[in-house]
Structure formats: C-alpha cells, structure tokens
Amino acid sequence: MNLKTLSNGDYAVFFIYFIIVASYGFWVYKRKHNADATSKDYFLAEGSLTWWAIGASLIASNISAEQFIGTSGSAFKMGLAISTYEWMAAITLVIVAVFFIPVYLKNKIFTMPQFLHQRYNGTVAMIMAIFWLLLYIVVNLMSILYLGALAVSGISGLDIHLCIWLLAIFSAVITLGGMKVIGYTDVIQVAVLILGGLMASYLALTLLSEKEGTTGLLNGFKILHSEATDHFHMIFKKDNPNYMDLPGLSVLIGGMWITNLNYWGCNQYITQRALGANLKTARGGILFAAFLKLLMPVIVVLPGIAAYLLYQKGMFHQEMASSSGVLDPNKAYPSLLNLLPSGLKGLSFAALTAAIVASLAGKANSIATIFTLDIYKKAINPEATDKKLVNLGKISVLVALLLGILLSELIGKALMGEGKQGFQYIQEYTGFVSPGIFAMFILGFFWKKATSNAALFATIGGFIFSCFFKLCPRFIDLSFLSPYGFSKLALQDDKVTKLYEIPFLDRMGFVFILCVIGMYIISKIDQARGITTNGLEIDGSMFKTSRGFLAGALIVTGIVVALYSIFW
C-alpha cells in the first residue's frame, strides 16, 4: 500500500474546505468591498477587523509550513525545547500590545518604512523598504512555498513542483481580495489548522499507547515522557548537541527576546493585522493570539517528539529518508499524517494547506503594501490615485508569488533540503539582520536623541557584525569567547583544530549590544554637530491598559512561567 496517496474521501474533504474558504472570502469581499475603497482600506482593512479576527489572522500568518513542518522536524531532533519560540512569543505579544502598538496607532503609522521615515528620514525608510522586500521574498516567501510544497507532496504523492504552483495560486486567490478577506478567512484557516494539529497529536499518542499494549491519550503521553526523557528539557546544557540552536539560558535572557520582539513588534507582516484597528481592539486581538500561542506546542511540537519515539521503535525509516538516504527531520509531520484513515487524512491535509496558504497570503499582502505605499508612492509616483495603488498592489502580489515560485524551484532544496532543519534555517538567516533592525526601532521609540546616521549604522553595521561573528572562526582564534561560545573540531589545512562558534542566538545578543552602543555614540556626535531628528508623540498614558487586558496578560505570563518550571 502506498501511503503517499489521498483517497477519494480525502479529496472530497479537501475540496469542501477549499469551497468553504473561497466562498466565504468572496462573500466577505462582496459584503465589505467598496468600489471607492482607499489603499489603506485595501491593505489594512482599516477599522473593519474585530479582535478575534486580528488574533486569528496573527496566528494564521505565523503558523505556516515552517511551523508545522519545520518546528515538528526540530522537535524530532531536539524535543520540547523548540517550544521556547512559541511560549516566549506569548509573553512577547503582551509586551507588543502594551508598548509597541500604542506608539504606532498614536502616530498614525501603517507601515514599518513609514515609521522609519517619520522617526528618522526618507533615506533610512527607503533602504529598509527595499531590504524588507528582499528578506520577505528570498527568505520567508521562498521557505514557506518550498517547505509547504514538501509537506503537501509527502502526503499527497503529487510532484513537489506542481504543489509549489498550486499553493501559490490558492494563496493569490485569497490575497487579491485585500486584508479584509485575508483577516476573516484566516478565522476558518486557524480553526481548521488547530483541529488538524490536534488530530495529529491524538494519532501519535494513540499509536504509542497501542505499541505498548495500552490505550488512551494519557497513557500515550506517559510512555512518550518516560521513554523520550531527553526530549523534555527546555534549557540545554553546553554538552547537548543542540546547544548551537538553543544555547542554554540565552532562550530566557538573551537573543530569543530579540528574535521575538523584532518578529512580533517590528515586522510589517505581523503588525499589519493590528494597525488598521483602534487600540482596544488591537490589544484584544494580540492578547487572543498570545493565548493561542500557548496551545501551539501541542499542535506542532508534540507530534514531532512522538514521531521521534515511533522512529526509534522502527517506524517511518523509509518515509523519513531523503532522496540520498539521509534522515530528514522535516518529514516527521507528513509521515505521521500519512497514517491517518481516509477522510481524517484529508482534513489534516486541509489543515496543513490552510496554514501554508494563510501565511503566503499574509506575506504577499505585506510585500505589496511596502512596495506600493513605501516605494512606488514615495519615490516613483507621489500623485498616484488610490485606485491605481490598489491595482498596483494586486499586481505586486502576483509578481511576489511568481518570484517565490522561481526561488523555491532554484534554491529551496539546496538551502533547506537533505536533512536540514527548515525552521532553524529561517531563524538563523533572519538573525543576520534582526538585531540591527530591533536596535533601530527600540531606540527610535524610546530615545528621542537617536539620529538617522545612527539608524543607518545599526542597519548596515548590524549585518556586518553578524557576518563577522559567523565567519571569523575560520580566520581568528575566538577561544577568549569560549565561556559564551561552542567549540567544535574542524579540518583546516589537513590539521584538526578547535574552532569556537557562537550560537546564533548569542550572536544576535552580541550584535544588538554593539548596535545600541554604536547608535548612542553616533547620536551623541551628531548632537554635538547640531544634527537632530524628529521624535515620536509618546506619553505615559498611552501604555495604560484595561483591567481585563491586565488580567489576561498575567494569566499568560503565569502559564509560561509554570511551563518552564515544570520542564526545566
């Protein structure tokens, strides 16, 4: 029996899902569409998204192929510790809701380059707008398409190249309706992906209990916890082979904060969901997303750990091998779903597709927003009408997806295939630029004396520092950093030498500190020369929250602290 096939029942379930999403999206478009809609209304769904739609859209845009496939693959390799990205994100979302969103809304900021233009100058904004376009297309869009197609191909048996095109077409249909359609269809997408993820966890734990001659979810979890104890630690020691990916306490007090705060607070792709709402609605949606984040490890991490134990017991050996016979952790989740019965497999297939399409749609919309509002309108045609901007935005969506397809075909396998962890690929390469970006934003928020020259230093210097800390072990002895780094043996000039590599999360922390110091020095020099920049409108009352929000934030924080205490 070929497991890589979908039955007629599976296809029926999937097409029902497709029809429901497409029909609902069309209904939202027709009901809320205005022929004279402004560009902000199209790109931001200005004032029309509810708190639950904002929260669901945040999660739908975040939980994509790199989560289902990449995170499950990382869980297969390193265990529960990969959940730190999810649980730390829950607290990060609370911080963003309290301190970041009020600044954006008070200053009427709708895009990240607009913030940089308003706070620093047009040069900084234009450089970052172009940079973000490249980052979103080359790293994010490509990885979502490639990993998504890899998963869909692994379950359905369809050719991976065909899967790339089908996913892009499906997401284009959703994206062309604008942020209103994306936001409201994401509610369905989130419901389906959560249901499908829970089914995968149920299947995995049930299989484990049956293999040991028992039944029930609780027994399955007990077996998983007792027989895969090494996969249930949140904080790695230095002798752990996965230390380079999650370096000990740095996940609590180091670079993990930069990763999360930059992603959730300085990222057009994410903040766009909340920028068109009022403060109360935006905060409610972000808090809802924080609660959903707490649930994500059950959906995307637990199946990966269970697949690891099942693999140890003799399952999935053929299914998880790459074309060259190497164990590929990215195939853990698809291999597990292939064991589902007809119908349920179709629902899980729909859930996976929902995650991929929602994330692609959100990313493509953000690319179109930045290109249209921050590049075309600012530098090419300042007199462009709203109708022209909306039409150009739709064209930009199609061009971005086409570029994503071409990149996926050309370099996706080289960068993320053959046993590599797709999720870690995304985190590390985004980490080359996020420390500088976050330094530029955080000082721009809360230090009025930060200048545009300092911002340019953080943007360019942050990338250079990241490359230095990544590449310098080949040329420079970094043994003095050994308390903070990770040593390994390497063959250089036919001699075995010890190199000191810095885990990328620690590297991000070092680079962030250097960027902040550099920005401070340059800003002080600029002030002495009489150079100043515009500050933002900020007052303490902006950060006050309602009692309901405060209670929810305390609950989220308490749950995260409890989880780390249990699985330390």
Side-chain angles (χ1 to χ4, degrees):
M1 174 182 174
N2 182 11
L3 292 176
K4 292 185 178 181
T5 56
L6 294 173
S7 67
N8 291 334
D10 293 324
Y11 281 114
V13 170
F14 175 78
F15 281 116
I16 289 172
Y17 149 75
F18 177 84
I19 291 170
I20 290 174
V21 172
S23 300
Y24 182 60
F26 182 74
W27 179 79
V28 169
Y29 178 77
K30 295 298 291 184
R31 182 169 180 260
K32 296 182 177 290
H33 178 64
N34 181 352
D36 299 319
T38 66
S39 55
K40 289 179 182 176
D41 187 64
Y42 175 79
F43 292 114
L44 299 167
E46 192 169 16
S48 66
L49 293 183
T50 59
W51 64 268
W52 45 269
I54 290 172
S57 189
L58 280 169
I59 296 301
S61 298
N62 169 244
I63 304 296
S64 182
E66 72 270 22
Q67 300 294 111
F68 268 104
I69 308 307
T71 306
S72 292
S74 293
F76 181 96
K77 183 175 183 288
M78 65 180 68
L80 189 66
I82 198 66
S83 299
T84 196
Y85 281 98
E86 309 301 319
W87 290 337
M88 292 292 282
I91 297 181
T92 302
L93 282 164
V94 172
I95 294 172
V96 169
V98 175
F99 296 106
F100 287 44
I101 293 299
V103 176
Y104 291 139
L105 296 182
K106 180 73 173 179
N107 292 274
K108 294 181 170 52
I109 291 168
F110 300 106
T111 71
M112 299 300 97
Q114 181 196 345
F115 163 80
L116 297 176
H117 187 278
Q118 192 166 320
R119 176 58 183 83
Y120 295 113
N121 61 27
T123 302
V124 175
M126 187 59 64
I127 289 174
M128 289 307 301
I130 295 171
F131 160 76
W132 268 313
L133 285 184
L134 294 174
L135 179 69
Y136 287 168
I137 293 173
V138 175
V139 176
N140 298 104
L141 206 62
M142 181 198 72
S143 63
I144 294 169
L145 268 173
Y146 178 78
L147 288 175
L150 183 69
V152 170
S153 175
I155 295 171
S156 65
L158 296 174
D159 179 73
I160 188 171
H161 305 291
L162 175 62
C163 292
I164 289 173
W165 279 92
L166 291 177
L167 287 172
I169 292 170
F170 192 177
S171 61
V173 171
I174 300 296
T175 313
L176 292 177
M179 183 51 74
K180 287 192 183 98
V181 174
I182 294 171
Y184 283 105
T185 54
D186 278 351
V187 176
I188 298 177
Q189 313 265 48
V190 164
V192 173
L193 72 86
I194 288 177
L195 180 59
L198 291 175
M199 284 171 44
S201 296
Y202 172 81
L203 169 68
L205 295 178
T206 302
L207 276 173
L208 283 172
S209 62
E210 289 175 354
K211 271 191 164 292
E212 297 298 322
T214 61
T215 57
L217 286 174
L218 186 58
N219 286 331
F221 184 78
K222 288 179 179 177
I223 293 167
L224 184 62
H225 187 266
S226 63
E227 296 189 24
T229 307
D230 60 323
H231 274 51
F232 279 89
H233 295 292
M234 292 298 297
I235 307 298
F236 290 149
K237 296 181 180 179
K238 206 165 184 180
D239 59 356
N240 190 295
N242 299 303
Y243 183 85
M244 282 293 292
D245 292 321
L246 294 173
L249 289 176
S250 289
V251 302
L252 295 179
I253 59 175
M256 184 63 73
W257 284 108
I258 298 169
T259 296
N260 275 292
L261 286 168
N262 178 72
Y263 180 84
W264 294 103
C266 312
N267 186 349
Q268 180 71 28
Y269 173 46
I270 294 299
T271 54
Q272 188 164 339
R273 271 94 188 121
L275 294 182
N278 60 51
L279 182 57
K280 182 180 178 181
T281 303
R283 277 181 167 164
I286 294 172
L287 184 61
F288 178 47
F291 276 102
L292 290 177
K293 263 296 178 183
L294 297 175
L295 180 64
M296 288 303 109
V298 178
I299 296 172
V300 297
V301 175
L302 200 58
I305 301 174
Y308 162 79
L309 188 55
L310 289 168
Y311 182 85
Q312 298 300 315
K313 292 179 178 291
M315 297 185 66
F316 307 141
H317 283 253
Q318 183 178 351
E319 290 81 2
M320 291 192 61
S322 68
S323 57
S324 60
V326 177
L327 172 65
D328 187 354
N330 292 322
K331 293 188 176 182
Y333 195 84
S335 297
L336 196 60
L337 293 190
N338 273 320
L339 300 179
L340 283 169
S342 178
L344 291 180
K345 186 176 177 182
L347 183 60
S348 293
F349 182 62
L352 190 60
T353 306
I356 299 163
V357 168
S359 195
L360 282 173
K363 185 64 70 179
N365 184 267
S366 294
I367 291 169
T369 302
I370 290 176
F371 175 76
T372 304
L373 299 183
D374 294 302
I375 296 178
Y376 181 79
K377 185 170 176 60
K378 290 275 172 55
I380 300 174
N381 187 2
E383 304 301 321
T385 63
D386 275 327
K387 183 177 181 180
K388 186 169 186 175
L389 291 175
V390 170
N391 290 333
L392 181 63
K394 294 178 180 180
I395 295 172
S396 302
V397 166
L398 297 177
V399 172
L401 287 171
L402 181 59
L403 288 173
I405 291 171
L406 295 176
L407 287 170
S408 299
E409 298 274 11
L410 291 173
I411 61 177
K413 185 175 181 180
L415 290 177
M416 291 174 289
E418 297 301 316
K420 298 178 183 178
Q421 296 179 68
F423 184 74
Q424 294 304 110
Y425 155 79
I426 296 168
Q427 301 306 321
E428 177 166 6
Y429 283 94
T430 302
F432 273 85
V433 293
S434 52
I437 294 174
F438 183 60
M440 179 171 53
F441 268 78
I442 203 70
L443 266 66
F445 279 146
F446 302 115
W447 192 43
K448 291 184 177 181
K449 295 180 180 180
T451 64
S452 56
N453 289 329
L456 283 173
F457 166 80
T459 303
I460 301 169
F463 178 74
I464 293 173
F465 284 138
S466 295
C467 292
F468 172 79
F469 281 118
K470 173 68 175 178
L471 301 174
C472 65
R474 299 181 183 181
F475 313 104
I476 302 173
D477 180 8
L478 288 183
S479 57
F480 66 94
L481 285 176
S482 59
Y484 311 100
F486 180 85
S487 62
K488 69 174 185 178
L489 297 179
L491 185 65
Q492 283 190 330
D493 299 326
D494 298 324
K495 295 181 180 180
V496 176
T497 59
K498 180 176 283 190
L499 302 181
Y500 287 90
E501 270 195 86
I502 301 173
F504 73 86
L505 286 175
D506 287 346
R507 182 179 76 220
M508 289 171 65
F510 293 150
V511 172
F512 173 73
I513 292 171
L514 290 172
C515 287
V516 170
I517 294 172
M519 286 189 69
Y520 177 81
I521 294 172
I522 293 172
S523 296
K524 285 296 184 181
I525 294 173
D526 283 343
Q527 289 168 41
R529 296 166 56 200
I531 299 174
T532 59
T533 54
N534 299 321
L536 297 173
E537 188 177 344
I538 296 178
D539 61 76
S541 62
M542 294 166 52
F543 307 123
K544 293 181 180 179
T545 63
S546 66
R547 291 181 179 179
F549 178 89
L550 181 60
L554 290 174
I555 291 172
V556 168
T557 304
I559 292 173
V560 172
V561 171
L563 288 167
Y564 274 95
S565 300
I566 294 170
F567 297 109
W568 184 269

